[in-house]
Amino acid sequence: MCFKLPIFNWFCLFFPVTHDTCHYNDVIVNSNGGQHERSLVICFGEMLIDFVPTVSGVSLAEAPAFKKAPGGAPANVAVGISRLGGSSAFIGKVGEDEFGYMLADILKENKVDNSGMRFDPAARTALAFVTLRSDGEREFMFFRNPSADMLLRKSEVDINLIKKASIFHYGSVSLIEEPCRSTQLYAMEVAKQSGSILSYDPNLRLALWPSADAARDGIMSIWDQADVIKVSEDEISFLTEGADPYDDNVVLKNLYHSNLKLLLVTEGSEGCRYYTKEFKGRVSGLKVKAVDTTGAGDAFVGGILNSLASDVNMYKDEKKLKAAILFANACGALTVTEKGAIPALPTKEAVHQILQEVSG
């Protein structure tokens, strides 16, 4: 079935049927009868427990009670990819405690390879209290002094797992403290030498850094190593110290670098801008009734990386890239219609359905 969108036929464009290859349920079947699974995306970093108020629009101090939910941007991305039918793995550290085992089980239940997880008997799983206040701003309070995710060491990293990655995805939270900072840099180097695409979502959490300057310097310290970067408008304002995040010249001068294959600037419900060496443009977002914006950016990243994993040169073809971004926008839009991050991450079928509805 082909889902006809206003400008292009998304499904048939992105999953072409040729004499040599046909795509069925995300398994590539070659003309000689052999098959192999979609390429692996490894997500490195933190996984934690979010405590979310049972009542919306209040500060943390005003919240009468909290509900626990799995969180951590890299883990959310890994689950998002798996929900879409892709192949993903998570590398990180949690406490050897009830929360840590719960998180490992959640990954397993969502068909994410959790063999790269490590359990620390001396440190607890990280906790975060997060709320959306009545003024629309998110408020965070973290318990990491230190938490297990900060203590992942090089010797605990599964190098053989990293070498299998088509894409190696990471954020900036693991850069804040040692030994995890050195471990992330080491894992990135292994992935790069193995031919993986390096994907970076800074995912700014200013409250975790010693200062704004430390956050800015830390985030930018690995900027030029990434092949793909996803950044938000707010993060552009922060990284450029107040420059206009909607100005293409600001983005290209301050954030685009010669080794970058694809730079994505998300604008929430308004959509996403894209920049490559050959072209730049924008794909509109989908209008939905937002219930909880938690995890929307991670759902977007999962959507775009899932597409890139199945076609690593997709960013060179503007039509394919726009189709993939539209798909990722739909992933983000569906996620905000439900509470929580991981529970709200969509399936491929749900994304196709909303795209079909939007196209009329």
Side-chain angles (χ1 to χ4, degrees):
M1 179 179 291
C2 298
F3 298 99
K4 294 183 178 179
L5 298 179
I7 301 175
F8 46 80
N9 184 315
W10 183 88
F11 192 77
C12 289
L13 172 67
F14 212 55
F15 295 98
V17 177
T18 69
H19 293 295
D20 298 317
T21 307
C22 294
H23 296 253
Y24 300 103
N25 298 324
D26 296 329
V27 175
I28 300 176
V29 183
N30 299 317
S31 56
N32 62 8
Q35 67 180 43
H36 59 88
E37 293 184 359
R38 172 178 289 185
S39 297
L40 177 66
V41 180
I42 292 181
C43 300
F44 176 100
E46 71 279 5
M47 189 175 192
L48 47 91
I49 302 290
D50 283 332
F51 284 87
V52 184
T54 54
V55 176
S56 300
V58 298
S59 68
L60 291 175
E62 295 168 335
F66 294 87
K67 180 180 180 181
K68 70 178 185 296
N76 292 343
V77 172
V79 173
I81 290 167
S82 181
R83 285 267 177 89
L84 294 170
S87 176
S88 65
F90 173 76
I91 292 178
K93 199 173 192 182
V94 293
E96 194 174 281
D97 51 39
E98 289 297 315
F99 285 149
Y101 291 124
M102 183 190 89
L103 293 175
D105 287 344
I106 286 170
L107 291 180
K108 186 176 180 180
E109 289 164 7
N110 283 280
K111 300 179 181 178
V112 175
D113 181 346
N114 65 2
S115 64
M117 287 186 78
R118 299 293 178 260
F119 299 85
D120 196 314
R124 296 296 190 189
T125 300
L127 308 179
F129 289 79
V130 56
T131 187
L132 186 66
R133 301 188 314 228
S134 56
D135 61 5
E137 291 298 317
R138 282 198 294 176
E139 182 180 356
F140 293 92
M141 185 183 295
F142 296 94
F143 288 78
R144 309 168 75 240
N145 294 305
S147 53
D149 62 292
M150 301 162 66
L151 302 176
L152 183 66
R153 300 181 181 278
K154 293 180 186 178
S155 59
E156 297 175 305
V157 173
D158 187 339
I159 295 175
N160 291 327
L161 179 60
I162 293 177
K163 288 179 178 179
K164 297 176 183 177
S166 168
I167 300 172
F168 186 77
H169 176 71
Y170 50 88
S172 69
V173 171
S174 296
L175 299 174
I176 299 172
E177 297 280 356
E178 292 289 359
C180 197
R181 174 183 167 80
S182 293
T183 304
Q184 175 166 331
L185 297 178
Y186 170 67
M188 288 167 55
E189 181 62 26
V190 171
K192 191 74 170 180
Q193 290 181 355
S194 302
S196 301
I197 292 172
L198 297 191
S199 165
Y200 184 25
D201 176 3
N203 194 38
L204 175 65
R205 292 291 178 262
L206 194 53
L208 293 177
W209 292 85
S211 67
D213 286 343
R216 198 174 291 110
D217 292 344
I219 288 171
M220 295 305 296
S221 69
I222 60 169
W223 198 266
D224 62 355
Q225 297 182 48
D227 300 298
V228 177
I229 296 176
K230 174 263 178 190
V231 64
S232 70
E233 314 139 282
D234 291 342
E235 288 164 345
I236 292 175
S237 295
F238 174 77
L239 294 173
T240 60
E241 300 189 61
D244 182 0
Y246 301 100
D247 186 336
D248 283 348
N249 292 325
V250 166
V251 174
L252 291 170
K253 179 182 177 182
N254 294 279
L255 302 179
Y256 200 88
H257 63 78
S258 59
N259 296 324
L260 201 55
K261 293 178 172 65
L262 175 62
L263 176 62
L264 298 163
V265 178
T266 52
E267 302 176 350
S269 62
E270 296 303 311
C272 175
R273 280 175 283 153
Y274 57 88
Y275 303 84
T276 73
K277 289 182 175 66
E278 285 78 30
F279 44 74
K280 58 185 175 68
R282 188 172 177 280
V283 178
S284 296
L286 283 70
K287 304 301 181 184
V288 296
K289 182 177 175 58
V291 173
D292 180 7
T293 59
T294 305
D298 301 330
F300 174 90
V301 173
I304 201 74
L305 294 186
N306 187 59
S307 298
L308 185 60
S310 64
D311 183 359
V312 293
N313 291 312
M314 167 265 291
Y315 64 90
K316 296 180 180 179
D317 184 318
E318 189 167 15
K319 284 188 176 181
K320 284 187 177 182
L321 176 59
K322 290 177 73 172
I325 293 173
L326 180 63
F327 181 88
N329 284 347
C331 291
L334 283 170
T335 301
V336 307
T337 61
E338 297 181 34
K339 283 193 173 184
I342 286 179
L345 293 169
T347 62
K348 182 179 63 177
E349 291 74 23
V351 176
H352 287 167
Q353 180 62 38
I354 194 173
L355 288 174
Q356 189 178 30
E357 291 171 1
V358 168
S359 68

